[in-house]
Amino acid sequence: MSVIFEAELKKLRSRFMEMGIDASEQLYQATKAFIDHDNELAKHVLNRDQDINDEEVSLEKRALKVMALQQPLASDFREIISILKASNDVERIGDYTTHIARATVNLNQVHHVPAIEKEISQMTELVRQMLEKVMDAYANNDEQAAYEVANQDLEVDVIYVRQQKAILAGMMANHDRIPAYETYMGVIRNLERAGDHIVNLAEWIIYIASGKLVELNPGKTDPSLVKQRLVKTDN
Amino acid sequence: MNEIALAVQNVAVAYGEKPVVTDVNMEFPAHQITALIGASGSGKSTLLRSLNRMNDEIATVTGQINFHGVDINRPETNVYRVRQQIGMVFQQPTPFPMSIYENVIYGLRLRGEKDRTVLDQRVEASLKQAALWEEVKDRLQTSAQALSGGQQQRLCIARTLATQPEIILMDEPTSALDPISTNQIEATLAQLKEQFTIIIVTHNMQQASRISDWTAYFEQGKLVEFKPTDQLFMNPSEQRTADYLSGKFG
C-alpha cells in the first residue's frame, strides 16, 4: 500500500468514526432531551443538525477523490465503498435525531403521557447502544459484533409494534391527548428507522470484513419474527 | 497556488524543422509534484529535458524558462550551474561503474568539493532522503552496479539530491522497475516534495493520479490542460483530456 494512500485511508477512517461518534452524541442528546423534557438541549441538537450533513458531504468528497486518484482494490476498495454508502446511513440517523429534538419542543406544549414515555425511553436506550456497538464493530473490524447488532434490531421492531398499538389505544381512549400521542408515534417511528440504518451499517461492516453483501434486517426480511416475539412477550 | 519554482513562457522546441513542442506556458508550483502526461510523441519528455537545458545539442528551444527571475534559456546561461539547481533522474537507472559512495558524491567532486566531512555528511543525508541509507550504509564502498534496479534508481535520486538542487526533473523514473520498487520510489517522492519541487513525466496515468499535486496533459506538442490533479482526473475541462484519461484516445 502506498504511503499516500495509507494516509488518505487513515484520514477517511477517522472522519467516518468522528461522524459516527457525532451522530451517537446527537442521538444521546435528542433522546435525553425528549425524556427529560429539556427544550434547551433539544434546541442545541437542532442547531447541530447541519454539522453531520456537512461531515457527510466532506467525507463523500474525500472518498470519491481516493477512489478516482488512488484506485483502491480488494479490501481497501470494499472499505472505501462501504464508508461512502455508510456515511449516508449515519447522516440519516442524524436526521432522525433532529426529528426527535423537534418533537421534544412540540411535546412540551401539550399534555404528556408518562406511561408511554417510559416505554419510549427503553427503546431509545436500545437504539443508542446499538449505534455505539456498531461503530465499535467498525473500529475493530468485528464481523461477529456487526451480526449481533443487526439481530438486536428485531427487539427494536417488537417494541415499535407494541408501542404503536398502545399509542393507538391511547388515542381512542383519550381524545384530549391526541397531539401528544401523535408526537410519540413520530418519535417511535424515528427510532425504528434509526435502528434500520444501524442494521445497514452492520451490513457494510460485514462487507468490509468478508466481501459478502448481506441483507440482515430480521424484522423486514421475515415479519413473522416480530409477530412471534410479540406473542411471546405479551404472554 | 504555492510559490512558483519555475515558469515557462511561450516555449517551443523543434528537432531541425520539425516542431515537437509548441507555445507552452505554465508555472510549476514549488514544493509540489507536477506530473506531465500524454501519449508518446506528445512532447512531454522533450519539454522536461528543456527545463534544464538537456536539449541544447539536439533541438532548438525558444521562449523563456524563468528560474528565480532569470531566463535560463538564454545562450549565455551557465548550463552546469542550472543543472546543479535543476537535477534530472532518467528512465533507466544509470549508476556509474564505481562505489555507492562515489556515485552519490559524483556531482560534488565535479564541483571541486574535497572536504571529507562534507562529503560523508552529504552521502548520508542524500541516501537517507532517497530512502536507501538503511539498505546500503554498511557497504558504501561496494560497487553500485551490484544493487537491484529499484535500489539503483534510488541511488540515482540520491546522486541528484547530493548537489542540493531546488528542482528535480524525472523522466519516467519507475517505468523500468517492478511494482514494489515503484511503490518505494513513489513513497520517497512524497517525502522529497517537502524540500524539493518535483516535475515528473510518466506514461502511467495511475502513477500521476496517485502521487502528483498538479497534472499537465499534453497532446501533439501542445499543453491541453494543467490543473490540480484531483480536478484534472475527476473533472477535466477539455474533452480531449477526458478522452485520453478514459482511454478513448492515445
Side-chain angles (χ1 to χ4, degrees):
Chain A
M1 196 194 286
S2 88
V3 280
I4 302 167
F5 176 65
E6 207 171 343
E8 283 299 322
L9 186 56
K10 219 171 160 181
K11 277 185 217 159
L12 206 55
R13 281 179 184 144
S14 67
R15 293 286 162 87
F16 179 63
M17 283 303 295
E18 279 167 27
M19 194 180 166
I21 290 165
D22 286 348
S24 178
E25 177 76 15
Q26 293 261 76
L27 183 62
Y28 173 75
Q29 290 180 341
T31 51
K32 187 175 182 339
F34 179 77
I35 291 159
D36 297 346
H37 309 296
D38 184 342
N39 258 7
E40 286 311 306
L41 188 57
K43 282 176 186 162
H44 173 72
V45 173
L46 289 173
N47 289 337
R48 286 200 53 206
D49 175 49
Q50 194 53 38
D51 294 354
I52 290 188
N53 295 347
D54 293 346
E55 281 180 82
E56 189 205 8
V57 172
S58 138
L59 192 72
E60 276 179 350
K61 278 187 189 163
R62 193 175 275 273
L64 289 171
K65 195 169 150 182
V66 174
M67 295 278 292
L69 302 186
Q70 304 292 330
Q71 301 95 32
L73 294 170
S75 63
D76 297 334
F77 172 77
R78 295 202 303 271
E79 182 163 3
I80 292 165
I81 282 284
S82 299
I83 288 177
L84 200 56
K85 300 280 281 182
S87 65
N88 184 249
D89 287 305
V90 177
E91 189 271 332
R92 293 303 300 278
I93 292 169
D95 286 346
Y96 294 125
T97 66
T98 310
H99 295 165
I100 294 171
R102 204 165 285 132
T104 303
V105 177
N106 291 342
L107 192 65
N108 284 347
Q109 293 158 8
V110 296
H111 292 294
H112 296 183
V113 184
I116 297 282
E117 289 183 2
K118 197 178 160 201
E119 292 286 321
I120 292 177
S121 79
Q122 283 175 2
M123 193 176 176
T124 62
E125 188 56 36
L126 182 59
V127 174
R128 244 158 49 188
Q129 281 174 8
M130 284 169 63
L131 181 55
E132 279 166 23
K133 199 167 166 185
V134 86
M135 292 312 295
D136 281 348
Y138 169 72
N140 301 323
N141 199 21
D142 187 344
E143 194 181 348
Q144 187 54 38
Y147 275 108
E148 285 167 19
V149 174
N151 275 332
Q152 280 183 287
D153 188 52
L154 188 57
E155 215 174 314
V156 174
D157 290 347
V158 169
I159 300 175
Y160 173 63
V161 174
R162 206 170 53 216
Q163 284 304 305
Q164 213 179 14
K165 284 180 181 167
I167 290 167
L168 284 172
M171 279 180 171
M172 304 286 276
N174 305 288
H175 288 192
D176 58 326
R177 303 244 164 136
I178 283 179
Y181 283 116
E182 269 184 332
T183 307
Y184 295 140
M185 192 69 100
V187 169
I188 63 166
R189 177 70 187 149
N190 285 317
L191 288 169
E192 190 273 334
R193 291 297 296 139
D196 290 344
H197 284 282
I198 294 170
V199 174
N200 291 351
L201 292 176
E203 289 170 357
W204 288 118
I205 291 162
I206 291 159
Y207 179 62
I208 295 170
S210 66
K212 284 183 281 187
L213 280 168
V214 287
E215 171 56 58
L216 291 180
N217 200 322
K220 294 278 183 301
T221 46
D222 184 1
S224 68
L225 287 173
V226 179
K227 280 183 191 159
Q228 285 165 18
R229 284 280 190 107
L230 269 174
V231 171
K232 221 185 268 178
T233 50
D234 290 347
N235 294 335
Chain B
M1 196 188 256
N2 288 30
E3 180 195 335
I4 304 304
L6 196 66
V8 167
Q9 282 176 6
N10 307 114
V11 163
V13 187
Y15 293 125
E17 295 294 305
K18 189 185 169 205
V20 283
V21 170
T22 322
D23 197 27
V24 172
N25 289 282
M26 58 194 296
E27 293 178 333
F28 296 94
H31 301 291
Q32 301 260 285
I33 300 177
T34 299
L36 311 183
I37 63 168
S40 297
S42 62
K44 57 193 189 299
S45 288
T46 301
L47 177 71
L48 186 83
R49 286 197 303 271
S50 303
L51 299 180
N52 74 344
R53 301 280 302 264
M54 296 197 77
N55 278 338
D56 282 10
E57 309 295 322
I58 50 171
T60 310
V61 182
T62 55
Q64 289 183 20
I65 301 168
N66 291 313
F67 179 58
H68 290 296
V70 175
D71 176 13
I72 57 171
N73 198 37
R74 289 159 69 102
E76 62 270 28
T77 302
N78 179 337
V79 294
Y80 300 104
R81 290 204 57 190
V82 165
R83 289 175 197 160
Q84 280 171 8
Q85 296 296 309
I86 307 175
M88 171 79 86
V89 175
F90 299 94
Q91 182 175 7
Q92 287 292 337
T94 48
F96 301 144
M98 48 183 73
S99 71
I100 294 168
Y101 187 96
E102 287 299 325
N103 261 278
V104 177
I105 59 167
Y106 190 80
L108 296 172
R109 283 224 193 274
L110 282 182
R111 213 197 276 177
E113 182 61 62
K114 287 184 180 139
D115 185 330
R116 194 75 195 176
T117 315
V118 172
L119 294 175
D120 285 352
Q121 282 171 351
R122 202 63 69 76
V123 166
E124 182 172 343
S126 306
L127 288 170
K128 279 182 175 165
Q129 284 174 319
L132 189 59
W133 174 252
E134 289 302 321
E135 293 164 55
V136 300
K137 65 182 177 188
D138 299 325
R139 48 176 171 142
L140 294 175
Q141 298 308 329
T142 60
S143 169
Q145 291 181 317
L147 297 172
S148 71
Q151 287 172 327
Q152 287 183 0
Q153 192 64 310
R154 278 179 284 149
L155 177 68
C156 294
I157 293 174
R159 190 169 62 203
T160 305
L161 300 179
T163 61
Q164 297 183 308
E166 282 185 36
I167 300 174
I168 307 167
L169 309 176
M170 299 185 144
D171 193 358
E172 298 189 42
T174 62
S175 62
L177 304 180
D178 65 84
I180 293 170
S181 302
T182 298
N183 195 7
Q184 283 169 329
I185 300 268
E186 289 181 3
T188 308
L189 299 187
Q191 302 289 327
L192 288 177
K193 75 172 182 180
E194 287 171 18
Q195 288 165 278
F196 306 93
T197 299
I198 298 170
I199 304 170
I200 179 171
V201 161
T202 177
H203 263 303
N204 182 337
M205 279 191 290
Q206 282 76 26
Q207 180 170 63
S209 76
R210 277 196 301 266
I211 65 168
S212 71
D213 303 292
W214 288 74
T215 300
Y217 170 60
F218 287 84
E219 195 178 292
Q220 295 180 332
K222 290 196 173 78
L223 173 62
V224 176
E225 195 165 347
F226 179 39
K227 273 186 164 180
T229 297
D230 55 344
Q231 290 178 28
L232 186 121
F233 277 85
M234 295 172 74
N235 190 17
S237 307
E238 298 291 327
Q239 188 58 42
R240 285 180 294 168
T241 313
D243 288 348
Y244 179 72
L245 293 176
S246 52
K248 292 176 190 153
F249 157 78

